[in-house]
Amino acid sequence: MTDPDPHMPRPRRRPVRPSADRVRRLAELGEWHRDWVARHADTAGFHPDEHPTPGSDYNLHHVDLDAPSAAQDEFHARARQIMGLD
């Protein structure tokens, strides 16, 4: 058997449709995220000083909000339950 030609593209894998259970879990996760954001949006901080590059327009095109750590813990704990990880 010879090694594959490194210049040839790798064969593409056929896409696999996620299971109905995974689709349901992801939809539930989306709903959880929407509810969580609605409850915690007012507590999330915006810190433009963390991107102080002179001349950068980062803060015009990107929004990085950080919810309090307790809120993030709440989100991740429920997300793990929804996805069947806990």
Side-chain angles (χ1 to χ4, degrees):
M1 180 193 237
T2 62
D3 291 331
D5 184 345
H7 303 290
M8 294 294 293
R10 294 179 57 187
R12 294 176 60 168
R13 289 183 51 203
R14 293 182 60 138
V16 177
R17 182 164 183 78
S19 68
D21 182 58
R22 182 157 178 82
V23 170
R24 180 194 58 76
R25 287 176 187 269
L26 289 171
E28 187 177 346
L29 182 61
E31 289 293 322
W32 166 240
H33 183 261
R34 184 179 7 265
D35 294 344
W36 180 84
V37 167
R39 286 187 293 112
H40 295 288
D42 292 341
T43 64
F46 177 55
H47 306 285
D49 52 308
E50 293 179 2
H51 303 282
T53 305
S56 172
D57 62 355
Y58 181 89
N59 294 316
L60 297 174
H61 302 287
H62 296 80
V63 178
D64 290 333
L65 300 176
D66 294 316
S69 58
Q72 291 184 39
D73 290 345
E74 173 196 21
F75 176 80
H76 290 289
R78 180 68 183 124
R80 289 182 61 80
Q81 287 176 341
I82 290 169
M83 295 307 294
L85 300 172
D86 285 340

